C-alpha cells in the first residue's frame, strides 16, 4: 500500500485529493481484477504498482484560515476537504454544502452579531456547532476532525496542520473602511470581504509561536512513500503549513518523494487570488517562479519534482537546472477524471524518481510475494531477516502470462506492499513436483512458521483457493489437489536495499 | 408609575405578562386621553390609578430549565418570555419561533450529537448561539439577556433569577430506558422526552448551593409596588425561583403587595404538567391547595392575595381564613384581552389591599397634583417637606366634572405618581380670582421655587397650554389670559403616611 501524504489548502487541495483517491481506487480495481502477481512491466509503470489496496492517503490541512465567528470555531479548509472527499460539497461553490439556506445567520445578524460579509449556511452550521462543542469539551482539533470525519468518511485521514490555533492575518498597506494602514486584520476578512483587493505588506501567523505540528503530521511526512503539494495557494495554504515548526524539516528529511503540482497555469492562478499573495511575498505569478520558490530538496527547498501545465512547458529546463525534476502535463482539474489523471502523473513521476534512485536494481526483474497487504508484509519481513529461503507457486500460474520458470542463479528485486524495492534475492534451487510430494524441509524454509507439511498446506490452500487467485486464473472453482503441479523455489538474500 | 415585578416560568408567565403590559398600556391611554386629574372613583378603582405611564414591569424568570445542548446554552423560559413579549413567539406552540425549520438540528443529529427528543429550530438557534457567544466571552446571563432583549424590545425588564447555572433535575422512581431508578435526569429530559410521565421522587436544583439572585432581582421585589406570581408552575417555575437564596425573604419583606394567580382551574393545570409536579411534592392539584402551599405573608408564606377561577369560588373562604385575600374571577387566558382582564383583577385586588392598609385615609377624597410623572413627583416632594402650601387650578376644570370647589378645613389624601397615598393635607384657604391678580405670596407658596409672579405664570401656562390639558378640556386652543378665573387654594401638611 502506497502511503501518500498531501499538504492541502481548501478547494484546490480538496479537489486534487479527490482525484488522487479516484486514481488509487481505479489502480486498485485494475490490480484486483486482472493482475494479482503482475510482472516487471507493471512494477516499472510505477503508479499501479504503488496502489495496492487504494493506497493510504493522509491530508495535512491548512488551518491558518480558521477563526472564531459568533463563538463557533470555523475551519474553512478542513471542512472543504472533508465535504469534498465525503460527497457533501457544493460543487458549484467549491466550498460549503449544496442546497443551503441561511436562516440562522440572518437571525444572528438581526441581533447585530457576526460579520455581514461572512454568512454561515444552516447545514454547514451544524459542523461548526459540533466541532465547537467538542473543542469546548476538551477535544483537540485533531480529535474533533476525526469525529466529524466519522460521518463523512472522506476515504483519507485528515489532520489539521496543528492543534493550536494559528490564524493568518494580513497587514494592510492602506486605510480600508474602519481599518487603518498598518492594521492586522484576519485573513478571512481580507479574502472574503475585500476579495484580496486591499494591498497588504505581510502575512502574519498569529499564534505560531505556541504552535507545534498536530499528532501524526510529522510522522505522516516522514513515513510516507510520496508527499504531494497539490495546486493549493503556495503562500497562505501550503506556505502556512510549512511555517509550522518541524514540517519543512520533515519534508526535507523524509525518504518519500516530494512532488508538487503548480497552482499557476500560464501566469495566472487556477483559482482564488494566489497572485496577490505571491506578489506580497515578492514571488512572480508563474509556474516556474513558484517551483523555484519551493525549491529543490537537493539544495534547501522541499521539492523533488514539480508538475507544470503543458502551456508552461518552457519552464521545465530551468526547473530541471535548479534540481527539480519537472514535466509538463495538462493541469486543469476540469472534472474528477481529469484530476485523477493529474494524480496519476504525480504518482508516475514519483515512481520514476524512485526507480532512478536505485540503479542497482534497475535491470532486475521484480519479485512480488502474494498480494500487497499484510501477507506480503509478513513474507517480505521474513526475506529481510533471512528466515524465508523457499517459496511455492502453482505451475498453472506461469502459464497464464507465459512467464518463464525461475532460473537458478538469477536475481530479482523484492518489492514491498508499497512497491518499493527492499531487497535483492537470488534463486538457488527450483523443482516442479506434485503438491502431495512437498517435504517438511521446504515447508519450514518458507519462513512462515510451519512445523508440519499439513499446516503449510492449509495456509497455502487458503491462498490458492482465494477469490482473487481464482479470478486471476479465470477459474472460479480452482482447487488444488495432491496431484497439482507446483514450482518449489529456493532463494537466498543477496542485499537489503537502503530505504529510498 | 407602578412598579410591577412578576416571577415567571415559561408559557403561563409569558402570556400573563403580555396581558399585564396590555392592561397597563390601556390604562395609560385612558389616563392620557380622558382623565388627567381624575377623581376619587378612579383612584379607588386601583388599576388605572396605578398605571401611570404604562407602569414599569420587571420579570424575574426561572432559569432552572436551562441546559447545555450541543455546547449551546439553552434558556427555555427566558426565551419564551422574550419572544412572547417581543412578538416573536409561535402562538401555536406557545414557545419557540413561528415558521421554524430544523435543518441545522437534523445535521447535528447526522453527526450523532444532540438529543433526538429536543430539537432546536434554525431561527431559535441564533438566540442560543449569540447568548453562548456572550457567555463564553465573559458576560453574565443577565447581561446576555439584556443584549438579546435589545432586539426584541419586550417592553419589560427581563432578569434571570440567577446568573449562576441552577439546573432542575428529577430523581426517577423507576427504571426508564437507559436510566435506573434513583438516577437524576435533567428536568427537560423528563418534561420533553417523558412528558412528565415517569414518576419521580424529588426535584433537585443542581448548582443551587453556589447560586445567588441575579443583580436587580432582590431590589425589584423590595422596591416594587406589586409583585405578581402569574399562573406559572408552582413547583418547577415559581418554586425554583423561590429556592434562590434571598428571594423568598425579599417577598416576605417587601412593602409591595404580593398577588398570585392560580395556575390550577377546576382541579387541573391550565397548561403543562403541573399536576405531576404538585403530586411529587405532596400538594393537591387544586387552586386552594396551591394557594395554601404558597401561604399567607401574615403567617410564613409569600402571598397577600390569590386569584382563583370563578369555578373555584368555593375555595375563597378557606383562603381568606388562612390570611390570604382571595377572589374568584375568570382565569382562562384565552386571548390577550382576557389575560389583560386577569391582570386588571390582580391590580385591583392589590389596590384594595393598599387602601385597606390605610384606614386613616379610607374615607378621604384623593388629591392629585398634575399628571403622574416628574412634575407630580416634584410637587408631592414639596408637600412632604412642607414647602408647598398653595396650589392653583383654572375654574373651568371644576366645571368639567361638576367637582365641588375646595372647602376650607376639608382634608384630602395626596397620592404619588404610583397612586400610593403619601400624605394627608388640609385646605386652609380658597379664593377665586383673575389670573392677572395672583400675588407673589401665592406664587412663592407653590413651593416650586418661583421668586416672581411672572416666572410662576410662565410655569403654569406651559402646563395649562399642554396638549394633555387641552385634550382634557376638550378645547384644542385653550389659552389662559389675565382674565381667566383661577382657584387659589392654601393647604397645610397634616400627616406624612408611612409607606405601605
Amino acid at each position: 500500500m502506497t502511503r501518500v501524504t498531501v499538504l492541502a489548502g481548501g478547494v484546490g487541495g480538496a479537489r486534487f485529493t479527490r482525484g488522487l483517491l479516484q486514481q488509487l481506487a481505479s489502480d486498485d480495481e485494475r490490480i484486483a481484477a486482472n493482475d494479482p502477481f503482475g510482472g516487471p512491466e507493471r512494477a516499472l509503470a510505477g503508479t499501479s504498482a504503488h496502489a495496492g489496496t487504494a493506497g493510504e492517503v493522509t491530508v495535512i490541512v491548512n488551518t491558518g484560515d480558521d477563526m472564531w465567528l459568533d463563538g463557533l470555531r470555523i475551519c474553512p479548509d478542513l471542512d472543504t476537504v472533508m465535504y469534498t472527499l465525503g460527497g457533501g460539497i457544493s460543487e458549484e461553490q467549491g466550498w460549503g454544502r449544496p442546497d443551503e439556506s441561511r436562516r440562522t445567520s440572518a437571525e444572528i445578524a438581526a441581533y447585530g452579531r457576526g460579520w455581514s460579509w461572512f454568512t454561515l449556511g444552516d447545514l454547514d452550521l451544524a459542523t461548526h456547532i459540533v466541532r465547537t462543542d467538542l473543542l469546548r469539551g476538551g477535544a483537540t482539533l485533531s480529535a474533533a476532525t476525526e469525529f466529524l470525519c466519522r460521518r463523512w468518511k472522506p476515504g483519507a485521514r485528515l489532520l489539521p496542520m496543528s492543534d493550536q490555533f494559528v490564524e493568518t492575518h494580513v497587514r494592510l498597506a492602506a486605510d480600508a473602511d474602519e481599518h487603518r494602514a498598518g492594521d492586522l486584520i484576519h485573513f478571512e476578512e481580507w479574502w472574503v470581504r475585500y476579495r484580496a483587493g486591499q494591498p497588504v505588506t505581510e502575512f502574519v501567523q498569529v499564534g505560531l509561536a505556541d504552535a507545534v505540528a498536530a499528532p501524526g503530521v510529522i510522522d505522516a511526512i516522514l513515513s510516507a512513500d510520496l508527499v504531494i503539494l497539490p495546486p493549493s495557494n503556495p503562500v497562505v495554504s501550503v506556505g502556512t503549513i510549512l511555517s509550522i515548526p518541524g514540517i519543512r524539516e520533515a519534508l526535507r528529511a523524509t525518504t518519500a518523494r516530494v512532488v508538487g503540482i503548480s497552482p499557476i497555469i500560464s501566469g495566472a492562478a487556477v483559482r482564488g487570488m494566489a497572485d496577490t499573495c505571491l506578489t506580497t511575498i515578492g514571488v512572480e505569478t508563474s509556474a516556474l517562479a513558484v517551483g523555484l520558490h519551493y525549491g529543490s530538496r537537493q539544495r534547501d527547498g522541499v521539492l523533488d519534482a514539480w508538475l507544470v501545465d503543458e502551456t508552461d512547458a518552457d519552464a521545465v529546463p530551468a526547473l530541471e537546472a535548479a534540481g527539480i525534476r519537472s514535466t509538463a502535463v495538462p493541469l486543469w482539474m476540469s472534472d474528477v477524471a481529469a484530476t485523477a489523471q493529474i494524480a496519476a502523473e504525480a504518482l508516475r513521476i514519483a515512481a520514476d524518481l524512485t526507480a532512478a534512485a536505485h540503479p542497482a536494481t534497475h535491470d532486475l526483474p521484480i519479485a512480488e510475494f502474494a498480494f500487497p497487504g499484510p501477507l506480503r508484509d509478513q513474507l517480505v519481513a521474513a526475506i529481510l531477516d533471512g528466515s524465508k529461503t523457499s517459496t511455492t507457486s502453482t505451475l498453472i500460474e506461469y502459464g497464464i502470462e507465459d512467464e518463464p520458470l525461475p532460473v537458478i542463479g538469477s536475481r530479482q528485486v523484492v518489492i514491498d506492499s508499497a512497491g518499493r524495492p527492499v531487497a535483492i534475492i537470488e534463486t538457488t534451487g527450483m523443482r516442479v513436483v506434485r503438491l502431495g510430494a512437498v517435504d517438511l524441509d521446504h515447508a519450514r524454509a518458507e519462513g512462515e512458521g510451519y512445523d508440519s507439511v499439513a499446516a503449510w498446506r492449509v495456509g497455502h490452500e487458503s491462498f490458492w483457493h482465494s477469490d482473487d487467485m481464482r479470478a486471476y486464473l479465470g477459474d472460479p472453482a480452482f482447487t488444488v489437489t495432491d496431484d497439482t503441479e507446483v514450482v518449489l523455489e529456493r532463494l537466498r538474500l543477496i542485499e537489503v536495499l537502503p530505504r529510498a
Side-chain angles (χ1 to χ4, degrees), chain A:
Chain A
M1 186 178 298
T2 306
R3 283 164 295 184
V4 184
T5 296
V6 181
L7 274 52
V11 183
R15 288 187 169 167
F16 174 83
T17 306
R18 179 167 60 179
L20 172 67
L21 289 173
Q22 162 128 339
Q23 179 60 27
L24 292 172
S26 68
D27 285 348
D28 192 34
E29 279 170 31
R30 191 146 50 86
I31 293 165
N34 306 316
D35 207 9
F37 283 82
E41 315 77 44
R42 187 171 61 78
L44 288 176
T47 307
S48 52
H50 283 223
T53 50
E56 178 185 273
V57 176
T58 298
V59 192
I60 298 170
V61 183
N62 169 45
T63 55
D65 302 0
D66 294 8
M67 60 177 171
W68 290 105
L69 184 62
D70 303 312
L72 300 172
R73 190 69 187 163
I74 317 294
C75 302
D77 287 357
L78 275 171
D79 289 349
T80 295
V81 174
M82 179 173 75
Y83 292 156
T84 300
L85 302 185
I89 198 78
S90 163
E91 295 291 345
E92 195 181 338
Q93 291 177 147
W95 48 268
R97 304 281 307 278
D99 304 318
E100 265 292 13
S101 49
R102 289 177 174 78
R103 306 191 78 205
T104 305
S105 275
E107 289 292 311
I108 291 172
Y111 281 113
R113 306 284 290 188
W115 290 337
S116 59
W117 40 267
F118 199 99
T119 303
L120 299 171
D122 295 326
L123 304 179
D124 186 42
L125 196 54
T127 302
H128 311 311
I129 290 173
V130 171
R131 172 169 42 230
T132 303
D133 192 17
L134 293 166
L135 292 174
R136 292 290 192 186
T140 60
L141 182 57
S142 299
T145 301
E146 188 186 342
F147 179 89
L148 295 171
C149 285
R150 278 185 217 161
R151 173 181 176 198
W152 291 103
K153 298 177 178 55
R157 185 170 58 136
L158 267 55
L159 299 178
M161 65 184 190
S162 175
D163 277 338
Q164 285 76 48
F165 297 155
V166 177
E167 301 193 4
T168 304
H169 284 60
V170 303
R171 194 178 299 284
L172 291 175
D175 295 356
D177 295 324
E178 70 272 27
H179 307 299
R180 298 282 74 87
D183 282 359
L184 280 180
I185 66 171
H186 195 286
F187 171 76
E188 287 290 344
E189 180 169 3
W190 180 64
W191 197 251
V192 178
R193 179 181 185 184
Y194 294 118
R195 307 292 303 156
Q198 289 290 338
V200 299
T201 56
E202 63 171 337
F203 298 95
V204 177
Q205 317 299 342
V206 174
L208 187 62
D210 300 316
V212 296
V217 164
I218 298 296
D219 182 63
I221 296 170
L222 291 179
S223 68
D225 301 306
L226 171 59
V227 177
I228 298 182
L229 310 193
S232 288
N233 189 307
V235 184
V236 294
S237 294
V238 179
T240 302
I241 297 173
L242 294 180
S243 74
I244 299 297
I247 292 189
R248 169 180 288 273
E249 292 72 14
L251 272 184
R252 292 188 46 74
T254 182
T255 55
R257 300 294 150 205
V258 182
V259 177
I261 292 106
S262 176
I264 306 295
I265 295 179
S266 308
V270 171
R271 188 187 165 90
M273 297 153 285
D275 48 346
T276 316
C277 300
L278 287 165
T279 303
T280 301
I281 64 163
V283 174
E284 188 185 272
T285 302
S286 74
L288 173 61
V290 173
L292 296 176
H293 168 66
Y294 282 132
S296 167
R297 292 220 292 166
Q298 293 167 28
R299 304 192 184 162
D300 58 357
V302 296
L303 290 179
D304 291 315
W306 184 239
L307 299 186
V308 301
D309 186 66
E310 52 193 348
T311 61
D312 293 315
D314 56 358
V316 170
L319 287 159
E320 296 266 357
I324 300 168
R325 177 74 184 278
S326 184
T327 184
V329 293
L331 288 191
W332 283 105
M333 298 191 291
S334 44
D335 56 26
V336 179
T339 309
Q341 199 48 50
I342 299 169
E345 295 291 351
L347 291 162
R348 190 184 320 276
I349 204 167
D352 289 352
L353 285 164
T354 299
H358 296 284
T361 70
H362 208 40
D363 299 326
L364 295 179
I366 299 289
E368 287 191 76
F369 289 82
F371 296 94
L375 180 57
R376 178 182 293 179
D377 294 344
Q378 178 196 339
L379 300 178
V380 165
I383 288 168
L384 292 175
D385 69 15
S387 60
K388 182 174 182 65
T389 57
S390 75
T391 189
T392 314
S393 313
T394 59
L395 183 60
I396 195 172
E397 294 170 46
Y398 287 87
I400 290 287
E401 301 203 16
D402 280 333
E403 207 176 321
L405 287 170
V407 176
I408 293 169
S410 71
R411 294 186 174 186
Q412 305 105 50
V413 179
V414 178
I415 63 170
D416 65 12
S417 290
R420 286 174 301 214
V422 291
I424 296 173
I425 55 171
E426 185 179 281
T427 301
T428 57
M430 198 281 287
R431 294 183 289 158
V432 178
V433 300
R434 287 175 59 248
L435 182 51
V438 170
D439 55 77
L440 181 60
D441 183 55
H442 178 85
R444 284 184 169 146
E446 288 264 12
E448 298 175 57
Y450 298 120
D451 215 31
S452 73
V453 172
W456 170 90
R457 175 83 172 257
V458 168
H460 279 64
E461 285 192 2
S462 74
F463 177 67
W464 286 320
H465 297 165
S466 68
D467 291 345
D468 287 336
M469 177 57 82
R470 284 171 169 168
Y472 172 62
L473 296 174
D475 178 359
F478 176 68
T479 307
V480 295
T481 68
D482 277 357
D483 292 325
T484 303
E485 284 184 303
V486 292
V487 180
L488 306 187
E489 189 177 356
R490 301 303 290 248
L491 51 90
R492 70 184 179 103
L493 179 65
I494 299 296
E495 183 187 353
V496 176
L497 297 172
R499 274 206 70 185

